[in-house]
Amino acid sequence: MSLPPLPDSAIDLGVHASDWRAAVRFAGNALRRSGATRDSYTERMIQVIDEFGAYIVIAPGLALAHARPGPDVLADGLSVVTFAEPVVFGHPHNDPVSVVVGLAVSSPDAHVTCVAELANIFNDPQAIPALANASTADEVWRVIGAPELPQDLSPVR
Amino acid sequence: MKIVAICGAGVGTSGILKVNAERVLERLGLSADVSASDVASLATTGADAQVILTSPELVERIPPTNADIVVVENYFDLNELERKLEDAIG
């Protein structure tokens, strides 16, 4: 297995978010629409940031919104949200955020394979700008991989 | 050598840091035991670690330690990670 599927319903491009909470909520709503999570997972993703700060902004322009596995995770899921205006999360180096990737995993084991695949994708410095500039789901799938196609598991070196 | 990557929730970002640290160590020809953990359980999981990898946001939450704390800004920049790991280990 590699990344959870990224269906059209989990992609939201060029949205207007007034602050980081709204930005994370977009990512959580996209996960819920795709059937991966319940609303309480979205609130738990926000709580992680309330508690620990903006450490989820792990690269310039990119936040990985996530929380621990829990009963509100119905299936492993991934969402991608981009913003009309980049959003400040309060990270000392990587603000502002133009792409939020939402991640929900149902077990701690599942996250190991997921994050290895995310690293394969985002270790390419072109990936974040390509997502930020995407105007269609097809352009997002060109970076992340389309849900109906087999995923390429070979690591990028 | 033991290296611990930490984040708030213990899933997700620390996993990315662990995967990329392993790639950098391979590039450097070094072997180490790299694990991912959350900051709350660091006192037990990281007790014997030589290096702790983390985000600038979490540094102040790390309990007193003898380990080198390596602060990573861009988790996907293998060159940054390689430079900082080399400094910490070398």
Side-chain angles (χ1 to χ4, degrees), chain A:
Chain A
M1 104 169 230
S2 57
L3 279 180
L6 179 65
D8 194 41
S9 57
I11 299 174
D12 215 351
L13 302 176
V15 301
H16 296 268
S18 52
D19 58 16
W20 67 261
R21 281 172 208 279
V24 172
R25 233 166 238 135
F26 274 109
N29 288 345
L31 284 170
R32 178 179 45 74
R33 272 201 307 275
S34 73
T37 61
R38 295 199 177 97
D39 279 331
S40 61
Y41 186 77
T42 304
E43 296 311 311
R44 291 204 293 122
M45 293 199 297
I46 291 171
Q47 280 166 20
V48 166
I49 304 168
D50 272 332
E51 185 171 358
F52 296 105
Y55 81 93
I56 65 152
V57 187
I58 54 176
L62 177 80
L64 178 65
H66 65 292
R68 290 176 206 268
D72 46 11
V73 178
L74 308 173
D76 292 344
L78 196 66
S79 68
V80 169
V81 178
T82 67
F83 303 97
E85 307 88 23
V87 180
V88 170
F89 273 62
H91 190 281
H93 305 283
N94 295 335
D95 265 343
V97 168
S98 48
V99 180
V100 175
V101 171
L103 178 67
V105 288
S106 52
S107 75
D109 286 342
H111 99 265
V112 176
T113 45
C114 283
V115 297
E117 187 60 26
L118 282 175
N120 285 341
I121 293 167
F122 287 103
N123 283 352
D124 176 355
Q126 299 307 313
I128 297 169
L131 286 181
N133 294 324
S135 53
T136 65
D138 277 329
E139 288 170 32
V140 173
W141 289 327
R142 234 169 272 155
V143 179
I144 303 264
E148 63 274 16
L149 295 174
Q151 303 269 345
D152 178 7
L153 294 172
S154 59
V156 176
R157 300 254 165 194

Side-chain angles (χ1 to χ4, degrees), chain B:
Chain B
M1 177 167 39
K2 191 172 164 192
I3 297 174
V4 181
I6 63 156
C7 70
V11 295
T13 59
S14 59
I16 287 172
L17 210 44
K18 166 182 150 68
V19 166
N20 277 343
E22 285 169 343
R23 286 174 188 180
V24 163
L25 289 166
E26 196 184 317
R27 216 152 86 169
L28 293 169
L30 299 169
S31 67
D33 166 24
V34 188
S35 57
S37 179
D38 62 305
V39 68
S41 43
L42 186 64
T44 45
T45 56
D48 54 347
Q50 277 86 55
V51 177
I52 294 170
L53 295 172
T54 194
S55 148
E57 293 279 314
L58 294 175
V59 171
E60 63 188 35
R61 292 170 179 267
I62 295 174
T65 174
N66 292 322
D68 279 313
I69 297 174
V70 174
V71 178
V72 183
E73 292 169 15
N74 183 345
Y75 282 30
F76 296 113
D77 183 348
L78 295 185
N79 293 327
E80 176 191 343
L81 201 51
E82 179 174 331
R83 195 176 65 244
K84 290 180 172 175
L85 265 179
E86 237 182 343
D87 282 352
I89 296 166

